[in-house]
Amino acid sequence: MSKNKEGMLIVLSGPSGSGKGTIIKSLLEQRKDTVLSISMTTRDPRFGEQEGVHYFFRTREEFEQTIANDGFLEYAEYNGNYYGTPIAPIQRWLYEGKNVILEIEVQGAEKVMDKREDLVSIFLAVPSMEELEHRLRGRGTETDEVIERRLAAAQQELTRVFRYQYVVLNDEVEQAVARINTIIDAENLRYSRMENTVLEVK
Amino acid sequence: MSKNKEGMLIVLSGPSGSGKGTIIKSLLEQRKDTVLSISMTTRDPRFGEQEGVHYFFRTREEFEQTIANDGFLEYAEYNGNYYGTPIAPIQRWLYEGKNVILEIEVQGAEKVMDKREDLVSIFLAVPSMEELEHRLRGRGTETDEVIERRLAAAQQELTRVFRYQYVVLNDEVEQAVARINTIIDAENLRYSRMENTVLEVK
């Protein structure tokens, strides 16, 4: 509505198996105003993964330099590799008026929420633990032990839902996407985002 | 989504001529979950006005008793008559799960926002001062002096827009109504409103 409106930073989190990836894919197909943040990692590219599309691939030294420069919204080390959310590309997109989605696990999301207040945070919930187990088993790629560990983590993650502004139930993908669309549209009507438009009236 | 969910209190304010009444009429036709708050007044009923529909008509003594009991969200005196927003019927509707809209001028809205934090506040803006003047003159019922006074008031009211959570531009009625629908739908996805639903998962 207004020109030069900054985009919004959206944190989408939720348990493993809550369907973050599927929902974001569908959301991005519907919204040309929204992009997915790209993580930086020190792990080697897998077959088909492209620099700047799936990840920014960097050396350990480069990654640690970015840490030293306070260049991450959050980062962590898993299995001997760093993974992080670099700030610079996000700032550029926001400035260009794009909304940026961070698809992030619950611990990382909290680090981001601690660091920035000007974001929209959404927790993606599953209808029930039974349904979550069903989905995790349906992937057919994980061992019982991994599934048990993920279910226990999900129980734990659910206790952190109070940190989020919005809760979207993923009972059905297109409905969940519609709910996130509604949230983004409403957030665009916030005073803080309408300020320029309103001032034009004067 | 959840049972026994409380309704939300919605404050809709904006300058005289911004179209509050028209928009609320259309919104209420679309949303059976939402009702309009009824004011209490000491003025006499006009032809066709019904008790409990257009106003609660009360004596001065009764009105002042309600003031003494802290029974108003806000009240004011105009032209020798009291007008106020009684809390009791609002509480009952909210408890029954209805959203309650307060259609209220800017000063009254601020009193309500000072008193309650658990509300959704929306400022209805007009595209331009020229458009507002056009609408006020279009009514054909007001003198030039009244119109001038309303325009000056609107300029002043616009400086208070920062007090509101949302700003809805009333460029076209059905679009403005759609925006308010979006806000209500998104607010229903707030963690504070989803809490019961989420806890069911555990």
Side-chain angles (χ1 to χ4, degrees), chain B residues 92-110:
Chain B
R92 198 192 58 226
W93 280 314
L94 294 177
Y95 181 77
E96 289 170 356
K98 298 270 190 200
N99 304 318
V100 181
I101 302 193
L102 297 189
E103 178 196 346
I104 195 165
E105 35 67 53
V106 173
Q107 276 194 310
E110 294 208 16

mmCIF file with all atom_site columns, all heavy atoms in Angstrom, chain B residues 92-110:
data_model
loop_
_atom_site.group_PDB
_atom_site.id
_atom_site.type_symbol
_atom_site.label_atom_id
_atom_site.label_alt_id
_atom_site.label_comp_id
_atom_site.label_asym_id
_atom_site.label_entity_id
_atom_site.label_seq_id
_atom_site.pdbx_PDB_ins_code
_atom_site.Cartn_x
_atom_site.Cartn_y
_atom_site.Cartn_z
_atom_site.occupancy
_atom_site.B_iso_or_equiv
_atom_site.pdbx_formal_charge
_atom_site.auth_seq_id
_atom_site.auth_comp_id
_atom_site.auth_asym_id
_atom_site.auth_atom_id
_atom_site.pdbx_PDB_model_num
ATOM 1   N N   . ARG B 1 92  ? -20.448 -10.261 29.581 1.00 0.00 ? 92  ARG B N   1
ATOM 2   C CA  . ARG B 1 92  ? -21.307 -11.431 29.346 1.00 0.00 ? 92  ARG B CA  1
ATOM 3   C C   . ARG B 1 92  ? -21.078 -11.974 27.936 1.00 0.00 ? 92  ARG B C   1
ATOM 4   O O   . ARG B 1 92  ? -20.873 -13.165 27.735 1.00 0.00 ? 92  ARG B O   1
ATOM 5   C CB  . ARG B 1 92  ? -22.778 -11.045 29.529 1.00 0.00 ? 92  ARG B CB  1
ATOM 6   C CG  . ARG B 1 92  ? -23.687 -12.252 29.739 1.00 0.00 ? 92  ARG B CG  1
ATOM 7   C CD  . ARG B 1 92  ? -25.150 -11.867 29.622 1.00 0.00 ? 92  ARG B CD  1
ATOM 8   N NE  . ARG B 1 92  ? -25.419 -11.267 28.319 1.00 0.00 ? 92  ARG B NE  1
ATOM 9   C CZ  . ARG B 1 92  ? -26.132 -10.156 28.123 1.00 0.00 ? 92  ARG B CZ  1
ATOM 10  N NH1 . ARG B 1 92  ? -26.632 -9.503  29.140 1.00 0.00 ? 92  ARG B NH1 1
ATOM 11  N NH2 . ARG B 1 92  ? -26.329 -9.683  26.896 1.00 0.00 ? 92  ARG B NH2 1
ATOM 12  N N   . TRP B 1 93  ? -21.051 -11.061 26.929 1.00 0.00 ? 93  TRP B N   1
ATOM 13  C CA  . TRP B 1 93  ? -20.828 -11.512 25.557 1.00 0.00 ? 93  TRP B CA  1
ATOM 14  C C   . TRP B 1 93  ? -19.457 -12.179 25.404 1.00 0.00 ? 93  TRP B C   1
ATOM 15  O O   . TRP B 1 93  ? -19.337 -13.214 24.761 1.00 0.00 ? 93  TRP B O   1
ATOM 16  C CB  . TRP B 1 93  ? -20.929 -10.334 24.583 1.00 0.00 ? 93  TRP B CB  1
ATOM 17  C CG  . TRP B 1 93  ? -22.316 -9.922  24.228 1.00 0.00 ? 93  TRP B CG  1
ATOM 18  C CD1 . TRP B 1 93  ? -23.354 -10.739 23.876 1.00 0.00 ? 93  TRP B CD1 1
ATOM 19  C CD2 . TRP B 1 93  ? -22.821 -8.579  24.169 1.00 0.00 ? 93  TRP B CD2 1
ATOM 20  N NE1 . TRP B 1 93  ? -24.469 -9.992  23.604 1.00 0.00 ? 93  TRP B NE1 1
ATOM 21  C CE2 . TRP B 1 93  ? -24.178 -8.661  23.771 1.00 0.00 ? 93  TRP B CE2 1
ATOM 22  C CE3 . TRP B 1 93  ? -22.271 -7.329  24.396 1.00 0.00 ? 93  TRP B CE3 1
ATOM 23  C CZ2 . TRP B 1 93  ? -24.984 -7.537  23.587 1.00 0.00 ? 93  TRP B CZ2 1
ATOM 24  C CZ3 . TRP B 1 93  ? -23.068 -6.211  24.219 1.00 0.00 ? 93  TRP B CZ3 1
ATOM 25  C CH2 . TRP B 1 93  ? -24.399 -6.311  23.824 1.00 0.00 ? 93  TRP B CH2 1
ATOM 26  N N   . LEU B 1 94  ? -18.452 -11.555 25.962 1.00 0.00 ? 94  LEU B N   1
ATOM 27  C CA  . LEU B 1 94  ? -17.096 -12.124 25.840 1.00 0.00 ? 94  LEU B CA  1
ATOM 28  C C   . LEU B 1 94  ? -17.078 -13.527 26.438 1.00 0.00 ? 94  LEU B C   1
ATOM 29  O O   . LEU B 1 94  ? -16.522 -14.463 25.855 1.00 0.00 ? 94  LEU B O   1
ATOM 30  C CB  . LEU B 1 94  ? -16.066 -11.239 26.543 1.00 0.00 ? 94  LEU B CB  1
ATOM 31  C CG  . LEU B 1 94  ? -15.825 -9.847  25.945 1.00 0.00 ? 94  LEU B CG  1
ATOM 32  C CD1 . LEU B 1 94  ? -14.823 -9.069  26.797 1.00 0.00 ? 94  LEU B CD1 1
ATOM 33  C CD2 . LEU B 1 94  ? -15.331 -9.933  24.501 1.00 0.00 ? 94  LEU B CD2 1
ATOM 34  N N   . TYR B 1 95  ? -17.706 -13.672 27.585 1.00 0.00 ? 95  TYR B N   1
ATOM 35  C CA  . TYR B 1 95  ? -17.748 -14.975 28.249 1.00 0.00 ? 95  TYR B CA  1
ATOM 36  C C   . TYR B 1 95  ? -18.452 -16.014 27.375 1.00 0.00 ? 95  TYR B C   1
ATOM 37  O O   . TYR B 1 95  ? -18.067 -17.173 27.334 1.00 0.00 ? 95  TYR B O   1
ATOM 38  C CB  . TYR B 1 95  ? -18.451 -14.846 29.604 1.00 0.00 ? 95  TYR B CB  1
ATOM 39  C CG  . TYR B 1 95  ? -18.516 -16.146 30.350 1.00 0.00 ? 95  TYR B CG  1
ATOM 40  C CD1 . TYR B 1 95  ? -17.397 -16.654 31.012 1.00 0.00 ? 95  TYR B CD1 1
ATOM 41  C CD2 . TYR B 1 95  ? -19.700 -16.895 30.366 1.00 0.00 ? 95  TYR B CD2 1
ATOM 42  C CE1 . TYR B 1 95  ? -17.452 -17.866 31.670 1.00 0.00 ? 95  TYR B CE1 1
ATOM 43  C CE2 . TYR B 1 95  ? -19.759 -18.103 31.024 1.00 0.00 ? 95  TYR B CE2 1
ATOM 44  C CZ  . TYR B 1 95  ? -18.634 -18.590 31.682 1.00 0.00 ? 95  TYR B CZ  1
ATOM 45  O OH  . TYR B 1 95  ? -18.702 -19.796 32.330 1.00 0.00 ? 95  TYR B OH  1
ATOM 46  N N   . GLU B 1 96  ? -19.482 -15.550 26.667 1.00 0.00 ? 96  GLU B N   1
ATOM 47  C CA  . GLU B 1 96  ? -20.225 -16.470 25.772 1.00 0.00 ? 96  GLU B CA  1
ATOM 48  C C   . GLU B 1 96  ? -19.454 -16.761 24.487 1.00 0.00 ? 96  GLU B C   1
ATOM 49  O O   . GLU B 1 96  ? -19.936 -17.480 23.624 1.00 0.00 ? 96  GLU B O   1
ATOM 50  C CB  . GLU B 1 96  ? -21.585 -15.838 25.403 1.00 0.00 ? 96  GLU B CB  1
ATOM 51  C CG  . GLU B 1 96  ? -22.580 -15.788 26.556 1.00 0.00 ? 96  GLU B CG  1
ATOM 52  C CD  . GLU B 1 96  ? -23.814 -14.941 26.209 1.00 0.00 ? 96  GLU B CD  1
ATOM 53  O OE1 . GLU B 1 96  ? -23.848 -14.336 25.119 1.00 0.00 ? 96  GLU B OE1 1
ATOM 54  O OE2 . GLU B 1 96  ? -24.722 -14.883 27.051 1.00 0.00 ? 96  GLU B OE2 1
ATOM 55  N N   . GLY B 1 97  ? -18.286 -16.151 24.335 1.00 0.00 ? 97  GLY B N   1
ATOM 56  C CA  . GLY B 1 97  ? -17.452 -16.426 23.161 1.00 0.00 ? 97  GLY B CA  1
ATOM 57  C C   . GLY B 1 97  ? -17.676 -15.467 22.007 1.00 0.00 ? 97  GLY B C   1
ATOM 58  O O   . GLY B 1 97  ? -17.125 -15.660 20.916 1.00 0.00 ? 97  GLY B O   1
ATOM 59  N N   . LYS B 1 98  ? -18.508 -14.432 22.228 1.00 0.00 ? 98  LYS B N   1
ATOM 60  C CA  . LYS B 1 98  ? -18.734 -13.450 21.164 1.00 0.00 ? 98  LYS B CA  1
ATOM 61  C C   . LYS B 1 98  ? -17.626 -12.399 21.180 1.00 0.00 ? 98  LYS B C   1
ATOM 62  O O   . LYS B 1 98  ? -17.212 -11.934 22.255 1.00 0.00 ? 98  LYS B O   1
ATOM 63  C CB  . LYS B 1 98  ? -20.057 -12.716 21.397 1.00 0.00 ? 98  LYS B CB  1
ATOM 64  C CG  . LYS B 1 98  ? -21.278 -13.612 21.373 1.00 0.00 ? 98  LYS B CG  1
ATOM 65  C CD  . LYS B 1 98  ? -21.836 -13.704 19.975 1.00 0.00 ? 98  LYS B CD  1
ATOM 66  C CE  . LYS B 1 98  ? -23.194 -14.401 20.006 1.00 0.00 ? 98  LYS B CE  1
ATOM 67  N NZ  . LYS B 1 98  ? -23.555 -14.940 18.688 1.00 0.00 ? 98  LYS B NZ  1
ATOM 68  N N   . ASN B 1 99  ? -17.196 -11.974 19.999 1.00 0.00 ? 99  ASN B N   1
ATOM 69  C CA  . ASN B 1 99  ? -16.363 -10.778 19.912 1.00 0.00 ? 99  ASN B CA  1
ATOM 70  C C   . ASN B 1 99  ? -17.277 -9.568  20.062 1.00 0.00 ? 99  ASN B C   1
ATOM 71  O O   . ASN B 1 99  ? -18.391 -9.558  19.540 1.00 0.00 ? 99  ASN B O   1
ATOM 72  C CB  . ASN B 1 99  ? -15.658 -10.690 18.567 1.00 0.00 ? 99  ASN B CB  1
ATOM 73  C CG  . ASN B 1 99  ? -14.843 -11.930 18.272 1.00 0.00 ? 99  ASN B CG  1
ATOM 74  O OD1 . ASN B 1 99  ? -14.163 -12.453 19.148 1.00 0.00 ? 99  ASN B OD1 1
ATOM 75  N ND2 . ASN B 1 99  ? -14.922 -12.414 17.037 1.00 0.00 ? 99  ASN B ND2 1
ATOM 76  N N   . VAL B 1 100 ? -16.816 -8.550  20.761 1.00 0.00 ? 100 VAL B N   1
ATOM 77  C CA  . VAL B 1 100 ? -17.624 -7.346  20.963 1.00 0.00 ? 100 VAL B CA  1
ATOM 78  C C   . VAL B 1 100 ? -16.882 -6.149  20.358 1.00 0.00 ? 100 VAL B C   1
ATOM 79  O O   . VAL B 1 100 ? -15.724 -5.897  20.680 1.00 0.00 ? 100 VAL B O   1
ATOM 80  C CB  . VAL B 1 100 ? -17.872 -7.081  22.461 1.00 0.00 ? 100 VAL B CB  1
ATOM 81  C CG1 . VAL B 1 100 ? -18.743 -5.838  22.641 1.00 0.00 ? 100 VAL B CG1 1
ATOM 82  C CG2 . VAL B 1 100 ? -18.515 -8.290  23.121 1.00 0.00 ? 100 VAL B CG2 1
ATOM 83  N N   . ILE B 1 101 ? -17.571 -5.434  19.464 1.00 0.00 ? 101 ILE B N   1
ATOM 84  C CA  . ILE B 1 101 ? -16.975 -4.236  18.863 1.00 0.00 ? 101 ILE B CA  1
ATOM 85  C C   . ILE B 1 101 ? -17.473 -2.987  19.575 1.00 0.00 ? 101 ILE B C   1
ATOM 86  O O   . ILE B 1 101 ? -18.677 -2.830  19.791 1.00 0.00 ? 101 ILE B O   1
ATOM 87  C CB  . ILE B 1 101 ? -17.357 -4.096  17.379 1.00 0.00 ? 101 ILE B CB  1
ATOM 88  C CG1 . ILE B 1 101 ? -16.913 -5.330  16.608 1.00 0.00 ? 101 ILE B CG1 1
ATOM 89  C CG2 . ILE B 1 101 ? -16.735 -2.851  16.773 1.00 0.00 ? 101 ILE B CG2 1
ATOM 90  C CD1 . ILE B 1 101 ? -16.962 -5.133  15.120 1.00 0.00 ? 101 ILE B CD1 1
ATOM 91  N N   . LEU B 1 102 ? -16.562 -2.139  19.955 1.00 0.00 ? 102 LEU B N   1
ATOM 92  C CA  . LEU B 1 102 ? -16.914 -0.801  20.425 1.00 0.00 ? 102 LEU B CA  1
ATOM 93  C C   . LEU B 1 102 ? -16.695 0.175   19.283 1.00 0.00 ? 102 LEU B C   1
ATOM 94  O O   . LEU B 1 102 ? -15.570 0.332   18.814 1.00 0.00 ? 102 LEU B O   1
ATOM 95  C CB  . LEU B 1 102 ? -16.006 -0.356  21.568 1.00 0.00 ? 102 LEU B CB  1
ATOM 96  C CG  . LEU B 1 102 ? -16.002 -1.121  22.872 1.00 0.00 ? 102 LEU B CG  1
ATOM 97  C CD1 . LEU B 1 102 ? -15.188 -0.342  23.908 1.00 0.00 ? 102 LEU B CD1 1
ATOM 98  C CD2 . LEU B 1 102 ? -17.411 -1.318  23.364 1.00 0.00 ? 102 LEU B CD2 1
ATOM 99  N N   . GLU B 1 103 ? -17.773 0.819   18.850 1.00 0.00 ? 103 GLU B N   1
ATOM 100 C CA  . GLU B 1 103 ? -17.644 1.885   17.855 1.00 0.00 ? 103 GLU B CA  1
ATOM 101 C C   . GLU B 1 103 ? -17.589 3.178   18.648 1.00 0.00 ? 103 GLU B C   1
ATOM 102 O O   . GLU B 1 103 ? -18.558 3.549   19.301 1.00 0.00 ? 103 GLU B O   1
ATOM 103 C CB  . GLU B 1 103 ? -18.865 1.882   16.927 1.00 0.00 ? 103 GLU B CB  1
ATOM 104 C CG  . GLU B 1 103 ? -18.811 2.993   15.899 1.00 0.00 ? 103 GLU B CG  1
ATOM 105 C CD  . GLU B 1 103 ? -20.152 3.243   15.235 1.00 0.00 ? 103 GLU B CD  1
ATOM 106 O OE1 . GLU B 1 103 ? -21.062 2.404   15.353 1.00 0.00 ? 103 GLU B OE1 1
ATOM 107 O OE2 . GLU B 1 103 ? -20.291 4.311   14.608 1.00 0.00 ? 103 GLU B OE2 1
ATOM 108 N N   . ILE B 1 104 ? -16.455 3.836   18.601 1.00 0.00 ? 104 ILE B N   1
ATOM 109 C CA  . ILE B 1 104 ? -16.242 4.874   19.605 1.00 0.00 ? 104 ILE B CA  1
ATOM 110 C C   . ILE B 1 104 ? -15.340 5.968   19.043 1.00 0.00 ? 104 ILE B C   1
ATOM 111 O O   . ILE B 1 104 ? -14.474 5.707   18.212 1.00 0.00 ? 104 ILE B O   1
ATOM 112 C CB  . ILE B 1 104 ? -15.635 4.191   20.874 1.00 0.00 ? 104 ILE B CB  1
ATOM 113 C CG1 . ILE B 1 104 ? -15.714 5.071   22.095 1.00 0.00 ? 104 ILE B CG1 1
ATOM 114 C CG2 . ILE B 1 104 ? -14.249 3.662   20.624 1.00 0.00 ? 104 ILE B CG2 1
ATOM 115 C CD1 . ILE B 1 104 ? -15.459 4.293   23.372 1.00 0.00 ? 104 ILE B CD1 1
ATOM 116 N N   . GLU B 1 105 ? -15.606 7.212   19.478 1.00 0.00 ? 105 GLU B N   1
ATOM 117 C CA  . GLU B 1 105 ? -14.756 8.295   18.965 1.00 0.00 ? 105 GLU B CA  1
ATOM 118 C C   . GLU B 1 105 ? -13.379 8.255   19.661 1.00 0.00 ? 105 GLU B C   1
ATOM 119 O O   . GLU B 1 105 ? -13.195 7.536   20.638 1.00 0.00 ? 105 GLU B O   1
ATOM 120 C CB  . GLU B 1 105 ? -15.424 9.667   19.069 1.00 0.00 ? 105 GLU B CB  1
ATOM 121 C CG  . GLU B 1 105 ? -16.298 9.900   20.268 1.00 0.00 ? 105 GLU B CG  1
ATOM 122 C CD  . GLU B 1 105 ? -15.511 9.934   21.543 1.00 0.00 ? 105 GLU B CD  1
ATOM 123 O OE1 . GLU B 1 105 ? -14.539 10.723  21.593 1.00 0.00 ? 105 GLU B OE1 1
ATOM 124 O OE2 . GLU B 1 105 ? -15.852 9.194   22.488 1.00 0.00 ? 105 GLU B OE2 1
ATOM 125 N N   . VAL B 1 106 ? -12.459 9.019   19.100 1.00 0.00 ? 106 VAL B N   1
ATOM 126 C CA  . VAL B 1 106 ? -11.053 8.824   19.438 1.00 0.00 ? 106 VAL B CA  1
ATOM 127 C C   . VAL B 1 106 ? -10.746 9.035   20.929 1.00 0.00 ? 106 VAL B C   1
ATOM 128 O O   . VAL B 1 106 ? -10.017 8.262   21.535 1.00 0.00 ? 106 VAL B O   1
ATOM 129 C CB  . VAL B 1 106 ? -10.154 9.698   18.530 1.00 0.00 ? 106 VAL B CB  1
ATOM 130 C CG1 . VAL B 1 106 ? -8.707  9.658   18.968 1.00 0.00 ? 106 VAL B CG1 1
ATOM 131 C CG2 . VAL B 1 106 ? -10.288 9.232   17.074 1.00 0.00 ? 106 VAL B CG2 1
ATOM 132 N N   . GLN B 1 107 ? -11.346 10.075  21.518 1.00 0.00 ? 107 GLN B N   1
ATOM 133 C CA  . GLN B 1 107 ? -11.077 10.333  22.945 1.00 0.00 ? 107 GLN B CA  1
ATOM 134 C C   . GLN B 1 107 ? -11.573 9.191   23.825 1.00 0.00 ? 107 GLN B C   1
ATOM 135 O O   . GLN B 1 107 ? -10.870 8.739   24.731 1.00 0.00 ? 107 GLN B O   1
ATOM 136 C CB  . GLN B 1 107 ? -11.754 11.632  23.375 1.00 0.00 ? 107 GLN B CB  1
ATOM 137 C CG  . GLN B 1 107 ? -10.929 12.870  23.053 1.00 0.00 ? 107 GLN B CG  1
ATOM 138 C CD  . GLN B 1 107 ? -11.474 14.083  23.799 1.00 0.00 ? 107 GLN B CD  1
ATOM 139 O OE1 . GLN B 1 107 ? -12.671 14.346  23.741 1.00 0.00 ? 107 GLN B OE1 1
ATOM 140 N NE2 . GLN B 1 107 ? -10.601 14.789  24.486 1.00 0.00 ? 107 GLN B NE2 1
ATOM 141 N N   . GLY B 1 108 ? -12.800 8.728   23.538 1.00 0.00 ? 108 GLY B N   1
ATOM 142 C CA  . GLY B 1 108 ? -13.359 7.613   24.311 1.00 0.00 ? 108 GLY B CA  1
ATOM 143 C C   . GLY B 1 108 ? -12.527 6.352   24.137 1.00 0.00 ? 108 GLY B C   1
ATOM 144 O O   . GLY B 1 108 ? -12.294 5.599   25.082 1.00 0.00 ? 108 GLY B O   1
ATOM 145 N N   . ALA B 1 109 ? -12.058 6.130   22.908 1.00 0.00 ? 109 ALA B N   1
ATOM 146 C CA  . ALA B 1 109 ? -11.248 4.944   22.619 1.00 0.00 ? 109 ALA B CA  1
ATOM 147 C C   . ALA B 1 109 ? -9.989  4.938   23.487 1.00 0.00 ? 109 ALA B C   1
ATOM 148 O O   . ALA B 1 109 ? -9.586  3.893   24.009 1.00 0.00 ? 109 ALA B O   1
ATOM 149 C CB  . ALA B 1 109 ? -10.874 4.914   21.137 1.00 0.00 ? 109 ALA B CB  1
ATOM 150 N N   . GLU B 1 110 ? -9.395  6.109   23.662 1.00 0.00 ? 110 GLU B N   1
ATOM 151 C CA  . GLU B 1 110 ? -8.162  6.149   24.468 1.00 0.00 ? 110 GLU B CA  1
ATOM 152 C C   . GLU B 1 110 ? -8.445  5.807   25.921 1.00 0.00 ? 110 GLU B C   1
ATOM 153 O O   . GLU B 1 110 ? -7.648  5.144   26.577 1.00 0.00 ? 110 GLU B O   1
ATOM 154 C CB  . GLU B 1 110 ? -7.491  7.521   24.347 1.00 0.00 ? 110 GLU B CB  1
ATOM 155 C CG  . GLU B 1 110 ? -6.990  7.741   22.934 1.00 0.00 ? 110 GLU B CG  1
ATOM 156 C CD  . GLU B 1 110 ? -5.792  8.672   22.853 1.00 0.00 ? 110 GLU B CD  1
ATOM 157 O OE1 . GLU B 1 110 ? -5.127  8.939   23.867 1.00 0.00 ? 110 GLU B OE1 1
ATOM 158 O OE2 . GLU B 1 110 ? -5.516  9.136   21.733 1.00 0.00 ? 110 GLU B OE2 1
#
